[in-house]
Amino acid sequence: MNGTTRAGGPGPLLDGAPARPAVPAAPAARRGAELGAVVARLFGAFTGRALGRHQAAAVRIGFGLVWLTYLVREWPNRRMLYGDTSPWSLDLAGRLLADNGALTVLPWFGGRLWFELVYHLAVLSAAALLLGWRTRASGVLFLVTVLSLQNRNVFLGDGGDNVVHLMAVYLVFTRCAEVWSLDARRPAGGRGGVVLWALLGGLLLVCQLGDFSGESLTWTAAAFPYVGWAPVFWGLWAVAGVWWLLGRLRRDGELRAVLDALAAMVHNCAMLVIAAEVVLIYATAGWYKVQGSRWQDGTALYYPLHLDYFTPWPGLSGLVSSALLPVFLISYGTVALQVAFPFTLVSRRVKNALLVVMMAEHLGIAVLLGLPVFSLAMVAADAVFLPTAALRWVAARVAGAGRRIGLPRLRPSAAAPPGGLPAASPEDPPVDSPPPAAAGAAPTARCR
């Protein structure tokens, strides 16, 4: 025997002893490599394309429809709710606005003419967002009009106004018009978007420099952390212009590719914030209900059914409230569904089944308790979790129904390049291009 060692061997070997087999790769190293590959694929998807395009379009259509329906329904009462005949006078609203720094353009001039202009601009912007027409511009106008009307009279609303308030902010940062919109069907070319972009920039400049805007368009305020509304609006306007300019100069340049990746990341982050917002709404509502004595004994639904404010159909409300066992089960089931919702996201089938039940419950609340804005807003927010196949199936049925009643068929969308990004054109209007900016609102904060 001698102590000879082989090059690269583990140690001394006996004369004539067979060589040891090569040691396989450690399981931990193999799992690390697999995890790294998964992370790389996820990061590539996160930066390479806009995820959840159909869900974003469904949320856009839903909230555009909710706000438009509300404005049209309250059109006869608009002056009493938000205008010059409101019990909550403009002076009282001004005192509150001076304390919280909320954004509203209604106090800029006052009077009925200015109010009528803002209210009907809100109707038009909601309709434009619903149809997906010049969505980048109409989304910002939708945000401004929603904040202006809701902050004018903060004592109105049934809870759905808070959801509309938040989603109006988040939708600005999404690519919500890539499908099911007039923008997606509009052929490339034309200078209408450029004219609109220049017009909005000039209007913003007048508002910024005019004394009538007061403290609304400040550069530092409490609307966002240390940032006022002025840099937000100017940033969106400037980014749209830069996007259009790069599309004209270097359509396939490296800088454009970087901006495409940033825009995709902003969209994906905004969609994640919307999803987190919905989860927080259900989770907090469920856990607060658990602490309520009426929810604990199963009578929480019974009492609203006997209040005139929540009984648009007294006969139906009386019929439902007379069935004590179903009322008890619905009360307990509501708490269980809301508390369990965040945990069902790990299972696609369970989540989809629960979404159907919750949407049906919201529609029941709209009819039975007379809360249509709240119910429809929550249904629109729930659409962020709907599967793409289900959304496409609904869209196909709606399109088929439209063709049967004689509605014109829109031109097919232009082909998009790999990765799901829309094809760029030197004449693409800048107001419809997604801005590479960071979504600036925390999911639990109501931006003012």
Side-chain angles (χ1 to χ4, degrees), residues 32-379:
E34 294 174 354
L35 179 60
V38 171
V39 171
R41 287 196 299 269
L42 292 177
F43 183 77
F46 182 73
T47 60
R49 61 188 177 94
L51 303 175
R53 299 185 304 154
H54 295 82
Q55 287 78 6
V59 173
R60 169 183 59 81
I61 294 171
F63 281 97
L65 180 62
V66 169
W67 188 239
L68 178 62
T69 304
Y70 172 76
L71 294 176
V72 172
R73 186 192 71 175
E74 300 297 345
W75 190 86
N77 308 312
R78 64 191 184 282
R79 294 179 62 192
M80 183 176 295
L81 296 177
Y82 304 108
D84 53 324
T85 62
S86 174
W88 184 249
S89 66
L90 198 58
D91 292 337
L92 293 175
R95 297 179 187 178
L96 181 61
L97 293 171
D99 293 335
N100 58 22
L103 173 67
T104 176
V105 302
L106 288 175
W108 286 6
F109 296 103
R112 181 179 178 182
L113 180 61
W114 177 246
F115 163 74
E116 295 286 359
L117 178 62
V118 173
Y119 192 92
H120 290 88
L121 179 61
V123 174
L124 294 177
S125 64
L129 187 71
L130 169 64
L131 298 175
W133 182 80
R134 306 293 184 188
T135 312
R136 189 57 56 192
S138 62
V140 176
L141 293 177
F142 180 79
L143 165 64
V144 173
T145 54
V146 166
L147 297 184
S148 296
L149 292 177
Q150 290 188 354
N151 290 331
R152 166 64 177 85
N153 193 343
V154 296
F155 299 102
L156 298 176
D158 53 12
D161 59 314
N162 292 323
V163 183
V164 175
H165 196 119
L166 289 169
M167 297 303 170
V169 178
Y170 302 150
L171 282 173
V172 173
F173 300 95
T174 63
R175 283 180 159 180
C176 57
E178 290 196 357
V179 296
W180 302 333
S181 68
L182 296 180
D183 287 345
R185 305 287 177 172
R186 189 178 67 251
R191 299 184 181 275
V194 180
V195 175
L196 181 60
W197 175 80
L199 178 63
L200 291 177
L203 181 61
L204 181 58
L205 181 62
V206 171
C207 296
Q208 184 75 58
L209 300 180
D211 295 334
F212 54 84
S213 61
E215 299 296 328
S216 300
L217 296 177
T218 58
W219 292 90
T220 57
F224 294 95
Y226 307 107
V227 178
W229 283 107
V232 174
F233 293 140
W234 281 114
L236 292 172
W237 181 83
V239 166
V242 171
W243 190 277
W244 173 81
L245 183 61
L246 289 177
R248 285 182 61 90
L249 297 179
R250 298 194 62 181
R251 178 175 173 181
D252 299 324
E254 182 177 353
L255 182 57
R256 179 61 184 261
V258 172
L259 292 181
D260 276 333
L262 289 175
M265 287 190 289
V266 170
H267 165 88
N268 296 332
C269 288
M271 292 297 293
L272 180 61
V273 171
I274 292 175
E277 185 68 49
V278 177
V279 171
L280 288 176
I281 290 173
Y282 283 124
T284 54
W287 286 107
Y288 272 108
K289 286 181 174 65
V290 168
Q291 304 174 45
S293 59
R294 293 293 175 263
W295 291 99
Q296 292 175 2
D297 58 26
T299 61
L301 179 60
Y302 177 83
Y303 292 102
L305 293 175
H306 290 80
L307 297 175
D308 293 338
Y309 184 79
F310 294 105
T311 53
W313 314 98
L316 180 60
S317 299
L319 179 63
V320 174
S321 62
S322 63
L324 297 181
L325 181 59
V327 170
F328 175 84
L329 294 178
I330 292 174
S331 299
Y332 266 72
T334 300
V335 178
L337 290 176
Q338 292 182 346
V339 172
F341 180 76
F343 304 100
T344 63
L345 299 180
V346 298
S347 174
R348 180 178 302 179
R349 293 184 178 180
V350 177
K351 180 260 297 180
N352 292 340
L354 189 61
L355 279 176
V356 173
V357 176
M358 298 180 76
M359 288 184 172
E361 183 180 17
H362 285 308
L363 295 178
I365 291 174
V367 175
L368 191 61
L369 299 181
L371 299 173
V373 175
F374 167 76
S375 300
L376 295 180
M378 289 308 303
V379 170

